[in-house]
Amino acid sequence: MVHTTVNAGQHPAPASQGRPGRWLRRLAGVVLTLAVLPLAHAEDGYELWLRYRPAADAAAQAYRAQVAQVVAPAASDTQRATRDELSRGLRGLLGRAPMLADAPTAAGALLVGTPASLPSIDRLGLDLDDLGEEGYLIRSVRVDGRAATVVAANSDTGALYGAFHLLRLMQSGQPLEALDLREVPKVGLRVLNHWDDLNRHVERGYSGQSIWDWHRLPGWLDPRYTDYARANASIGINGTVLNNVNANAQILTAPYLDKVAALAGVMRPYGIRVYVSARFSAPMEIGGLDTADPLDPAVRRWWQAKADEIYAKVPDFGGFLVKANSEGQPGPQDFGRSHADGANMLAEVLAPHGGVVMWRAFVYSDEEPDDRHKQAYTEFVPHDGEFRDNVLVQVKNGAIDFQPREPFHPLFGAMPKTPLMMEFQITKEYLGFATHLVYLGPMYEEVLRADTHAKGPGSTVAKVVDGSLEGHALSGIAGVANIGSDRNWSGSHFDQANWYVFGRMAWDPSVDARTVAQEWTRMTFSTDPAFVEPVVEMMMASHQAAVDYMTPLGLHHLMGRGHHYGPAPWVEGGPRADWTSVYFHRATKEGIGFDRTTSGSDAVSQYAPPVAEVFNDPARVPEEFLLWFHHRPWTSRVASGRTLWDELVHRYSRGVGEVARMRETWTGLDRYVDPERHHQVERFLAIQQQEAQWWRDASIAYFQTFSGLPLPEGEAPPAQSLEYYKSLEFPYAPGDTQ
Ligand code: BDP
C-alpha cells in the first residue's frame, strides 16, 4: 500500500468549473508531483532494523565519496552473503547500486574480506592476530595513496559481521572518517532458544506461529529463513536452538533431521549453527529401548549412533539443549542418576564432532517445595567440577522464573569449575506479552552488571558468563526467542528491540542499554534527534514502569495461572504450592513478602557473604528487592518516608502514570513514523495503559483485604470490585503450554 497526501489546493477542480485544458494541466501537475515526491512507503516491520532507507543528504554525499567502490570477494557462500548485503544496504542508503571491483581502482574503495580472500587486504599487513575467528576490524586506510576503508577479519564470518557493523554506522548516520574499530565477541555461544513445537505452536509465543514450517521442510525453504539468518548475523548471534525445551523426541528421527539439515544449510553462510532440544527419554520413545538410564551401555550406544547420524547430515551441528527433571520433563534422576551423569553421557557422544551440551539448571523438585529460589543451587552446586568440558550449565537470570525483576541467580559465581551460560527470556511471558512496550535492555544490563563477589568485588555476572572470571574456554548466552510468523516477526515493533539488544549484549555484555536503544531507534525508525531522544527515554523508563504496575518492591509470580496473562495475586490451591501466587507474596494482616533471610528460608546464604549480608538486612537490601527477601509489616517505613502500604500503592500508580506518559510521547511523534507502524504502536500503548490500570486496581483491591488500610490521599480507588477482577478468565490467552 502506498500513501500519498494531496493537499486541498491540489485537488483537481471539477470539469464543470473550468476549461478542460486547465483541468488536464492541473491533473498532469498532480500526477507529476506524485511521481517525484518521495513516497512514504507503508512499513510493516518485516525489514526489522535492516531497512536501509536513504541516508540524510549531507551524510549520503559523504558516504558516496567514501564508499564509491566495493571490493569484496564472492567465492564462498558467506562471502556472497556479505557482498549481497553490502549491495542491498548501499543501494538503499545511497540510492544507487555500488560499483563492484576485484581490486581498488579509485578513491573511496571499501575492502571487505580476509587476507586469504582478498590480496589487497593481505597487502595491507594488518594486525589481525587477536581478532580470533569471529572478530573484525574496520579502519580508514590509504591504498596506493588513495583513501579507502577496510573491513578485515580472519574468517569470512568475521568479515560478514564487520560489513554489518559498517552498514549500521551508515544507517545510524555516523561519520566514516578516521575509523579505527576492533571488535571481538566476548562470549562464544550467542544463541537463540526457540520454544517452538513441531506443530508450529510456540510456547510463550505472542507473535503468531513458529517460523519453522516443519511440514513443508526440507522441500520448501521459506525465504524468511534467510532473512532470519541475516537479522541474527547483523547482531552477532551465532546459534539457534530450533525446538522447545519441553522437547518432542520426533525431532531426532531421520525425517526431522533432514529438515534440521535443510535449515542448517540456510543458516551456515551466516555463521549460525543449529542445535536441537533433546528429550532425555528419546531412546525409549523413538529408539525402542526400555530405559534411558545414562549409564546403560545400550542407551549410550543409541545416543552415539544418533550423534553420528546427525553429524552425517549436519557436519557443523552445534549440540543439544536439555531440560531434564524439571516441570515433569524426563531426566537422569528418573534412573537414579545425577544431572552430571546425564549431561556427560550426551557430551561424550558430541565431543568427537565438536558439539556441546547446554544443560539447563531450571529445575525444581516435583514433590517438596523447599523455597523454589533455592532448588537449582542445591541440586547443582554439589556437581561443580563433575561436568565434561563440552558441557555448559544454562542458568536463568534469576532464581525463580523470568519475573519482571529478579535479583541475579545465586548459581552465578557459585560453580567456578563449570562454564555457566546465561539464559534470558526475550519473549515477554511475564512482562505484558507482545502488546506492552517494555524494553529489556536495562533489565539485562542490571543482571550482567550485578556483582556476585565470588572472587572479591568486581566479580560481575558478566564476567562469570563470558568465562573471564575463571578462565573458561567455553562461554555462552541464550535468549528465549520472541520470533514468530507475524509479519513484524516479534508481535510488536518495539519487541524487535529486545531481539536486537539481546544480540548486542550477547556479543558484548558491557555494552549499555541506552546506546543500543539509540542505535536501534535510529535504524528502525528515524535518525532525527527530535524523535530519537524522546523514544529512547521512553524505552529506558519502560521496564521500571512495568515492574511498578505489575510487581513493585520485589513482589513476584502474581500472574494468571497457566497462561500468565494479567494480575492474579489471589491464585492458591492446585497441584503445587509454588505454582500459586500466595506462596510467593505471603500477604497476611500483618505484612507482605517472602522471608528469605537467615531466619526465613535462608535463600540469602546462597549468595557470597558480602551480597548475602546486604540482601539479609531490610535496611540495606535494594528497595526493588525488599519483598523478595523480606516479609515486612504494612506500616513499616521505606526510604521515601512512606509506609510500605502507601509506597506499594504509590508505585502501582507510578507505573500506570508512566505508561500514560509514554503514550502521550508516542502520539506526538507521528510525523516521524509511517502511519502503519505509528498506529499499531499507538494502539498497543492504549492496551498497555488499560492493562496497567487493571494490574494496579486488581492488586490494590486484593492486597487491601490484608492491609486493611485506606488508600493514600489522592489515590483513586480500584474501578471494580475484587470479585470482578477475580472472576475474569482467559481460556484462550496466547502462548500457554500445550
Ligand atoms: C516457564 C514457562 C514454561 C517453560 C519453563 C522453562 O512458563 O512454559 O517451559 O519456564 O523455562 O517460565 O522450562
Side-chain angles (χ1 to χ4, degrees), residues 328-382:
Q329 292 300 309
Q333 293 173 347
D334 304 348
F335 310 94
R337 311 298 182 190
S338 71
H339 285 294
D341 293 331
N344 289 343
M345 182 261 302
L346 295 175
E348 194 179 299
V349 302
L350 295 171
H353 303 284
V356 300
V357 172
M358 301 176 291
W359 191 267
R360 294 178 88 225
F362 178 68
V363 297
Y364 51 98
S365 115
D366 256 351
E367 303 93 38
E368 141 265 0
D370 180 18
D371 177 1
R372 211 174 109 183
H373 190 295
K374 293 169 63 182
Q375 294 189 31
Y377 181 104
T378 310
E379 280 196 40
F380 274 83
V381 168

Side-chain angles (χ1 to χ4, degrees), residues 280-528:
F280 202 78
S281 52
M284 300 164 75
E285 287 158 20
I286 58 167
L289 302 187
D290 56 9
T291 177
D293 179 349
L295 301 191
D296 184 291
V299 171
R300 296 175 88 87
R301 274 198 304 276
W302 187 85
W303 281 109
Q304 180 72 63
K306 189 50 73 182
D308 295 344
E309 180 189 349
I310 295 173
Y311 280 93
K313 295 181 184 197
V314 188
D316 56 353
F317 181 67
F320 294 137
L321 171 64
V322 186
K323 172 175 178 177
N325 293 119
S326 167
E327 299 185 328
Q329 292 300 309
Q333 293 173 347
D334 304 348
F335 310 94
R337 311 298 182 190
S338 71
H339 285 294
D341 293 331
N344 289 343
M345 182 261 302
L346 295 175
E348 194 179 299
V349 302
L350 295 171
H353 303 284
V356 300
V357 172
M358 301 176 291
W359 191 267
R360 294 178 88 225
F362 178 68
V363 297
Y364 51 98
S365 115
D366 256 351
E367 303 93 38
E368 141 265 0
D370 180 18
D371 177 1
R372 211 174 109 183
H373 190 295
K374 293 169 63 182
Q375 294 189 31
Y377 181 104
T378 310
E379 280 196 40
F380 274 83
V381 168
H383 297 295
D384 190 26
E386 293 176 12
F387 292 96
R388 284 187 61 115
D389 56 10
N390 58 332
V391 176
L392 300 106
V393 170
Q394 184 167 309
V395 183
K396 287 190 183 183
N397 59 279
I400 299 297
D401 196 356
F402 296 141
Q403 292 305 294
R405 171 177 263 140
E406 298 199 27
F408 71 88
H409 201 301
L411 274 176
F412 291 114
M415 291 184 68
K417 298 189 189 120
T418 313
L420 297 189
M421 231 170 132
M422 169 64 77
E423 180 177 317
F424 282 130
Q425 196 178 41
I426 309 172
T427 188
K428 303 203 312 301
E429 175 182 357
Y430 297 97
L431 279 151
F433 296 2
T435 15
H436 293 207
L437 194 168
V438 181
Y439 172 53
L440 298 177
M443 189 189 100
Y444 298 163
E445 182 180 270
E446 182 176 297
V447 176
L448 290 165
R449 292 184 183 181
D451 196 345
T452 70
H453 283 266
K455 289 178 95 179
S459 310
T460 57
V461 171
K463 285 190 188 162
V464 175
V465 169
D466 70 18
S468 62
L469 195 68
E470 302 293 346
H472 289 302
L474 277 185
S475 61
I477 298 194
V480 180
N482 63 352
I483 298 159
S485 60
D486 275 7
R487 186 72 191 153
N488 68 16
W489 301 86
S490 304
S492 80
H493 298 294
F494 273 88
D495 273 306
Q496 297 178 354
N498 292 328
W499 176 5
Y500 186 85
V501 71
F502 166 75
R504 299 283 286 113
M505 284 194 180
W507 177 278
D508 179 1
S510 69
V511 76
D512 71 277
R514 179 177 290 273
T515 307
V516 177
Q518 282 160 349
E519 203 174 276
W520 176 83
T521 303
R522 294 164 81 94
M523 290 194 284
T524 305
F525 289 112
S526 157
T527 55
D528 193 324

